[in-house]
Amino acid sequence: MRKIDKPIKHIYKCGIDNMITLITTRVDNKNFVMTSSTVAEVSHSPPILVVSISPERYTHDKIIKRGAFAVNILSIKQKTLAKICGGCSGRNVDKFEKYKIPYHISKGGLPFIEGCFANIGCKLIATHRYGDHTIFVGEMFEAEVYGERTTRHLLLSDMKHPLPSWLYNFLRKIPILHKLKRTLKL
Ligand SMILES: Cc1cc2nc3c(=O)[nH]c(=O)nc-3n(C[C@H](O)[C@H](O)[C@H](O)COP(=O)(O)O)c2cc1C
């Protein structure tokens, strides 16, 4: 394998791929959702997973308040949903209301998004702060699994836009083009 000396941030460009999920929680009868690419299973017995969330996300403190969260594993057909939930904050908008996100409340009282491969309810058992993110450790206590074989789950590599990143970042800063990009689902 050829060695390339690059800053560590370039690790994201070397083909490491992650599953895309929506993290949801519910506090005072309000639902919260954000996109995440950092969910990993860390124990089978008991079943435990982790997700890394920046304290800047509105969902961060809501999960701590509720003491529970759900991991909604997206299918490739739900890319637009991943973009929406990762592109605006619950601080400014009720994403469920505005984008009519289909969901139901699980037995454990968490928002389970419809059309996913699986929805997993987790009890928050620990948090650990590393750098600029918090690792949420969740013990899975309920799940709904649908797993359609005709499709596959959404990966981080599916989220890439077709433009070079310098052009994409430039265009993002122009409000009218940003709107156009959303309309064209780029
Ligand atoms: C593909 C994708 C993956 C993301 N993964 C994470 C993640 O793992 N952790 C995180 O803190 N933010 C992640 N984000 C950013 C949040 O989803 C985004 O900031 C969101 O608007 C936060 O919403 P909130 O403020 O309502 O919580 C991701 C965004 C996208 C588009």
Side-chain angles (χ1 to χ4, degrees):
M1 201 179 291
R2 195 162 55 98
K3 183 177 172 229
I4 310 170
D5 281 321
K6 289 253 182 180
I8 195 78
K9 65 180 181 182
H10 288 270
I11 196 167
Y12 299 113
K13 294 182 185 169
C14 74
I16 294 173
D17 217 344
N18 285 0
M19 174 174 78
I20 300 293
T21 66
L22 294 183
I23 306 297
T24 54
T25 194
R26 186 172 167 90
V27 179
D28 299 332
N29 293 324
K30 280 200 178 139
N31 301 316
F32 302 92
V33 58
M34 61 166 272
T35 304
S36 167
S37 59
T38 55
V39 168
E41 190 195 14
V42 292
S43 164
H44 288 313
S45 181
I48 293 174
L49 56 76
V50 291
V51 55
S52 170
I53 301 180
S54 159
E56 288 178 12
R57 316 295 180 229
Y58 198 55
T59 312
H60 183 279
D61 288 1
K62 299 295 174 191
I63 294 174
I64 293 173
K65 194 163 178 199
R66 174 63 193 258
F69 61 94
V71 175
N72 301 267
I73 300 177
L74 296 177
S75 97
I76 182 87
K77 296 175 185 168
Q78 293 171 304
K79 185 171 164 179
T80 307
L81 200 53
K83 283 189 177 181
I84 287 171
C85 297
C88 61
S89 176
R91 206 172 273 116
N92 313 312
V93 63
D94 182 335
K95 296 181 218 183
F96 280 90
E97 283 264 322
K98 181 165 181 191
Y99 299 104
K100 310 258 179 292
I101 300 173
Y103 74 98
H104 63 273
I105 298 297
S106 69
K107 284 188 185 144
L110 294 165
F112 276 10
I113 291 171
E114 311 275 344
C116 291
F117 261 86
N119 313 93
I120 306 164
C122 302
K123 180 182 165 215
L124 182 65
I125 56 171
T127 58
H128 301 283
R129 185 72 192 265
Y130 294 109
D132 58 3
H133 276 58
T134 306
I135 306 286
F136 288 82
V137 186
E139 183 166 347
M140 303 177 229
F141 68 90
E142 60 172 352
E144 290 178 14
V145 181
Y146 299 95
E148 229 183 279
R149 281 183 189 272
T150 52
T151 184
R152 67 164 174 84
H153 57 277
L154 185 64
L155 295 171
L156 191 55
S157 54
D158 298 317
M159 302 298 291
K160 278 191 189 144
H161 44 79
L163 305 172
S165 44
W166 66 266
L167 181 59
Y168 177 76
N169 287 331
F170 172 72
L171 294 177
R172 274 171 66 127
K173 291 182 188 133
I174 307 172
I176 184 88
L177 292 179
H178 186 61
K179 260 195 174 172
L180 186 69
K181 180 182 78 70
R182 282 211 162 172
T183 315
L184 297 174
K185 299 198 172 107
L186 286 172

